[in-house]
Each structure stands twice: as structure tokens, then as C-alpha cells.
Amino acid sequence: MKSDNQLDLLFDSSLIPSIIQEQLGPDLHLRPLASDDNTRGHFDVLSVLTVAPQLSAKAYKDKFDELKACAGTYFIIVIVNVSTDKIVGSGSLIVERKFLRSAGLVGHIEDIAVSKAVQGKKLGLRIINALEEIGAARGCYKIILDCSDKNIPFYEKCGFKHKEYQMVRYM
Ligand code: ACO
């Protein structure tokens, strides 16, 4: 497995909370998304969320570069199984810059995914905790997310509470 400094990472790995890495133990590694994580099963993990067709290597790298160019906005993290070098969990924090709240920042949590084989082992909780810590370090005054009814108990266990409703219009 390559070390973090051998990879092209989406953001500075010093933002990853060391306490959460310690909680995960030595067999799992938490880090920012890397530009070649398509080769480590990123789409296999995302497929627990919805149909997740693979992008070509070029399209994946182009998307990665596009997100990385938006400095301070996209914080996608992955948990990697150290022995297989495969991704087993992933989650995103997107930082929105507002005029409101004295030009405050709001964190949006998206695409939390844990491989079926390792669900129920607190990886989801660790991903949420890590994204919250990153959001706090970036100065977000709140973090929000949308989820289905069946995931409400999970997010409540993570310390979130229900507020308002989601609306959607597909184009
Ligand atoms: N119902 C009730 N409790 C739950 C559920 C559930 N569906 N899922 C987890 N929990 C509880 C666990 O029992 C645990 O409680 P405990 O601390 O009392 O033991 C706590 O929540 C933490 O659970 P984790 O082990 O961290 O959960 P896991 O690693 O399995 O991750 C996740 C949860 C992310 C929902 C995972 O099951 C998954 O990937 N599901 C499919 C994809 C998905 O639905 N993702 C969320 C989409 S919403 C969004 O992305 C904003």
C-alpha cells in the first residue's frame, strides 16, 4: 500500500483527526480521497448507495482535479483496508460559503457508504465523526444532511437530530 505522501490527495491529510485513525486501529487507514482511488474499489463502495457505474480512469482523474481545484470545498474521505489496499468506506463533506451568518460556512454531508461486508462495525460512525471534525476545523457553524427514514436511527446515534424536510425535483 502506498503511503499518503506517495498519493495525489484531495486535501491535506493533516485535517484527518488522528483520534479517529486510532479508533479504527492498524488494519484500517483513514485518508483523503486519492486521484487513483478508482483502482481501489471506490465505485464498489459507492454502489451500496445507488447504481454506481465506473468512470474511465481519465474521467475519474478529471473529476478529481475539478474538485481539488475548488480549494476548501470538497472533503471526501475513504477508509482503506491496509492488507488489501481496497476502500471499505467513504463519505463527503461539501463546504458551502454563505452571505448569511456573517458570511458563515455550512457543511453538507453526502454519500456516506460502508461496504456491506463491514457494516455494523462503527465505520459509518467514524466517517461521520471525521467529517464533523473537518467541518469544525474549517469553521462550519452547522452540518446538515438528507437521508431516508431507515437511516434516521444511524444519524441519531451519530448525534444528529431531525429538522425540516427535503424537497427534490429531478431534471
Ligand atoms: N437502524 C438502526 N440503527 C443503525 C442503523 C440502522 N439502519 N445503521 C446503523 N445503526 C446504528 C448501529 O447499530 C450503531 O449503534 P450502536 O452504537 O448502538 O452500536 C450506530 O448506528 C453506528 O453504526 P455503524 O456501525 O457506524 O454503521 P455502519 O458502519 O454500518 O454505517 C451506514 C451505517 C453508512 C448507513 C451503512 O450501513 C451503509 O453504508 N448503508 C448503505 C448506504 C447508505 O444508506 N448510506 C447513507 C446514505 S444518507 C447520506 O449519505 C447523507
Side-chain angles (χ1 to χ4, degrees):
M1 196 182 88
K2 288 182 180 170
S3 63
D4 283 7
N5 56 20
Q6 293 173 301
L7 296 166
D8 177 15
L9 297 177
L10 187 59
F11 61 93
D12 189 339
S13 57
S14 67
L15 270 175
I16 299 284
S18 54
I19 180 73
I20 296 172
Q21 177 58 65
E22 284 163 27
Q23 289 166 341
L24 284 168
D27 299 337
L28 297 171
H29 179 54
L30 176 64
R31 62 160 169 76
L33 186 77
S35 60
D36 58 352
D37 273 344
N38 56 314
T39 65
R40 298 184 182 85
H42 189 202
F43 286 98
D44 296 336
V45 173
L46 291 177
S47 70
V48 300
L49 283 160
T50 185
V51 250
Q54 286 272 358
L55 292 176
S56 68
K58 181 182 181 312
Y60 190 88
K61 177 72 165 61
D62 286 350
K63 177 56 65 181
F64 178 93
D65 290 344
E66 186 185 336
L67 300 190
K68 190 169 178 173
C70 304
T73 305
Y74 290 96
F75 298 90
I76 303 176
I77 58 175
V78 292
I79 296 177
V80 183
N81 178 318
V82 170
S83 57
T84 61
D85 198 24
K86 290 291 176 199
I87 294 171
V88 295
S90 178
S92 308
L93 176 80
I94 297 113
V95 175
E96 174 198 357
R97 298 168 179 83
K98 297 185 91 67
F99 279 102
L100 283 168
R101 299 270 180 166
S102 307
L105 303 177
V106 175
H108 298 261
I109 282 182
E110 284 278 352
D111 300 340
I112 305 301
V114 173
S115 293
K116 277 208 172 68
V118 291
Q119 286 179 6
K121 295 176 185 286
K122 303 266 191 285
L123 270 55
L125 176 69
R126 307 285 180 237
I127 291 168
I128 295 294
N129 289 163
L131 295 175
E132 285 175 326
E133 291 284 326
I134 293 168
R138 299 300 302 172
C140 294
Y141 74 90
K142 70 173 177 183
I143 293 182
I144 57 179
L145 60 87
D146 297 323
C147 73
S148 61
D149 282 357
K150 80 175 170 56
N151 282 326
I152 289 175
F154 166 67
Y155 287 110
E156 285 177 339
K157 287 268 167 75
C158 295
F160 284 72
K161 60 180 185 188
H162 181 242
K163 193 180 179 217
E164 298 168 350
Y165 293 91
Q166 177 198 59
M167 305 287 283
V168 64
R169 186 171 178 192
Y170 287 99
M171 302 298 168

